[in-house]
Amino acid sequence: MINYDIMKYVTVHMHGYKRTGEENVLQKVTATGFFAFLNINGVGTDVIITAKHFAKEISRVIFMLHYKDNGKLITVPVSSEVQWNFSEETDLAYCEFKPIGERFRKITGKYVYAAALTEKDMLTEKQLNEINILDEIVMVGYPEGEASTHHKFPLFSKGYVASLPKDTVEDGEGFLNIPAIGGFSGAPVFLNTPDLKLLGMLVSGIAEGNSDASGMCKYVPAYEILRFVKEI
């Protein structure tokens, strides 16, 4: 089965605040992101990938990051201004991790303890079109900002491929059957196989603003993530 322990360190819980309504009240917004090490303009670059609809509203983000001290895991919230890159085609955004990591090190004197996906961990378009209806998937993230422990480890959900991607991917998105509520936006979705293979990233329920945890969901395929990053 899939190595679930690695998935705990691939994800990152994020939140920020936006002003909303006529009274200009601050509202907390949460989301999930995940670490990746990708080739950008010929240079290997550490990035955090998440949903555009979160990133476009939040320029200062609080990241829950970890370091290890004598084998003990320590979790530290780090607030940082973020320069997001937005896809024009899909609900995708990413930022370079380096300035966030440097801020973390300035605060803690430590390097961030995390795992990162690489291109080989992401399904190509050909591979994604070869999967089957009702193949099992695993999603990991932070619904409504909730986490399993004080270390802010993510929560896990299982579901299924709702239809063949080659038949349903339109406008860069496909469909899954998996419980998902607010805060799961940006969560990585993996095939539930021994190899850690990223199917894509969750972006929303099937209806705009849907909070029904039992409904169908939309995702951006992994190959669209690579396509977006390589176009920047």
Side-chain angles (χ1 to χ4, degrees), residues 67 102-111:
Y67 71 88
E102 289 175 346
R103 182 169 176 79
F104 180 88
R105 193 176 183 205
K106 186 176 294 185
I107 293 170
T108 65
K110 304 287 186 178
Y111 290 101

Side-chain angles (χ1 to χ4, degrees), residues 6-232:
I6 290 177
M7 294 169 68
K8 293 191 299 188
Y9 298 104
V10 165
T11 56
V12 57
H13 172 241
M14 307 180 296
H15 70 271
Y17 297 88
K18 68 174 183 177
R19 294 195 177 275
T20 183
E22 295 181 359
E23 297 180 358
N24 205 24
V25 176
L26 279 177
Q27 176 185 355
K28 185 177 180 179
V29 183
T30 68
T32 301
F34 62 94
F35 298 102
F37 181 75
L38 301 175
N39 189 312
I40 302 177
N41 295 325
V43 179
T45 306
D46 287 302
V47 299
I48 294 176
I49 299 168
T50 192
K52 181 171 69 174
H53 68 261
F54 166 80
K56 70 180 181 182
E57 296 182 326
I58 309 295
S59 60
R60 175 166 285 277
V61 179
I62 299 170
F63 300 89
M64 301 303 296
L65 301 171
H66 313 293
Y67 71 88
K68 277 198 169 181
D69 185 23
N70 294 322
K72 183 179 180 181
L73 191 70
I74 310 296
T75 304
V76 179
V78 174
S79 176
S80 179
E81 290 285 343
V82 179
Q83 183 65 49
W84 294 105
N85 298 283
F86 301 113
S87 170
E88 295 182 359
E89 306 297 330
T90 57
D91 194 353
L92 280 170
Y94 82 86
C95 67
E96 293 192 16
F97 178 68
K98 183 178 179 179
I100 302 164
E102 289 175 346
R103 182 169 176 79
F104 180 88
R105 193 176 183 205
K106 186 176 294 185
I107 293 170
T108 65
K110 304 287 186 178
Y111 290 101
V112 173
Y113 186 84
L117 301 178
T118 64
E119 185 168 347
K120 69 179 179 61
D121 300 316
M122 302 183 183
L123 292 181
T124 65
E125 186 170 8
K126 181 178 183 296
Q127 290 172 325
L128 192 139
N129 284 334
E130 291 173 351
I131 67 176
N132 297 308
I133 293 173
L134 296 183
D135 275 355
E136 193 172 74
I137 56 174
V138 176
M139 181 172 68
V140 56
Y142 303 89
E144 302 295 349
E146 295 294 335
S148 59
T149 73
H150 64 284
H151 289 312
K152 282 293 182 183
F153 285 149
L155 304 183
F156 290 75
S157 294
K158 277 187 178 181
Y160 302 92
V161 175
S163 55
L164 291 174
K166 63 183 178 182
D167 298 328
T168 62
V169 173
E170 297 177 1
D171 300 323
E173 295 180 346
F175 298 92
L176 306 170
N177 187 348
I178 193 167
I181 60 176
F184 265 131
S185 291
V189 180
F190 300 91
L191 289 180
N192 193 24
T193 60
D195 295 331
L196 192 70
K197 289 296 183 181
L198 183 74
L199 175 73
M201 183 192 78
L202 188 111
V203 291
S204 69
I206 201 159
E208 186 69 23
N210 178 28
S211 61
D212 181 2
S214 64
M216 292 288 177
C217 301
K218 290 184 178 181
Y219 75 100
V220 176
Y223 66 82
E224 288 286 357
I225 296 172
L226 292 176
R227 184 177 296 166
F228 161 48
V229 170
K230 291 178 182 295
E231 287 176 352
I232 296 297

